[in-house]
Amino acid sequence: MLKVKSVVKEFSGFRAVDECSFEVEKNTITGLIGPNGAGKTTMFNLIAGSLKLDQGEVYFSEQKVNNFAPHQIARLGLARTFQIPKTLRKMTVLENLMLVPSGQSGENIWNSWFRGAKVENEEKVNAAKAYETLEFLEMEHLADEMAVNLSGGQKKLLELGRALMAEPELILLDEPGAGVNPTLLNKIAENILKLKERGKTILLIEHNMDLIMNICDRVIVMNDGKHLVEGTPAEIKTNPQVLEAYLGEKTA
């Protein structure tokens, strides 16, 4: 589903990602972990097209996407969330979701005037899809709530819902558990597992090791911009290189 080959990204001479390579298999949940500053979010930005690679290649579904803009990559079936949710604060939860589908006829002012029936039918379809997404997230009771009024955890769920509205094949989740209370964290974990059941592929950055160990099929570890090791959660948990990277000291 995703191949990252010898990727390099520098900022003013500092190499944030350094010859990093890894693969993500289809219909798996893969964790991307590492100490602060390891290059994880920079890697997400490179994969999603928000940053341009200095060197290397990124393939999504066997298509090279190095020079693609974010919206072009999104249309291929890749969606992402952010560590700090980017909700539209002055719109309702339902409106946040309905805005996502691309190519809506109502985006053209002439269609609003002269093709009103088509615009109305599209909005009905998008509303039904949005309600279905909210039911999946168990947020249907918040459909008419303004996004600004949501808790941090609810905003994380809303951002996941916005990603799902794009009907992606691969979803990049940037710290979905950060700042989330235990109840909502469990709900997020359940939703991620349900997405796998639906055939989706997930790559997530996360510092909550319990979440990583409980839901991931494989874990990739980055350190100092490099691919350090990868393996099953059980293998990563006891790997001496991983312990050294996190604890800053060599283990016996």
Side-chain angles (χ1 to χ4, degrees), residues 134-200:
L134 289 175
E135 289 175 2
F136 173 77
L137 298 172
E138 299 181 17
M139 292 182 68
E140 61 269 30
H141 61 292
L142 295 171
D144 297 321
E145 186 66 63
M146 300 299 290
V148 68
N149 296 327
L150 299 181
S151 69
Q154 289 169 336
K155 288 177 181 176
K156 295 267 187 175
L157 285 170
L158 176 57
E159 183 146 284
L160 177 57
R162 281 159 52 93
L164 294 179
M165 286 292 290
E167 299 185 346
E169 293 300 316
L170 172 63
I171 306 173
L172 308 182
L173 302 178
D174 194 346
E175 296 199 36
V180 177
N181 68 57
T183 300
L184 281 179
L185 182 60
N186 289 336
K187 184 178 293 186
I188 289 172
E190 290 172 3
N191 286 331
I192 294 173
L193 290 169
K194 288 178 184 177
L195 289 174
K196 181 187 174 184
E197 293 174 2
R198 291 187 172 192
K200 305 298 183 184

Side-chain angles (χ1 to χ4, degrees), residues 7 14 74 78 83 85 104 110 157 180 203:
V7 166
F14 171 73
L78 186 149
Q83 182 179 352
Q104 297 186 47
W110 301 108
L157 285 170
V180 177
L203 176 63

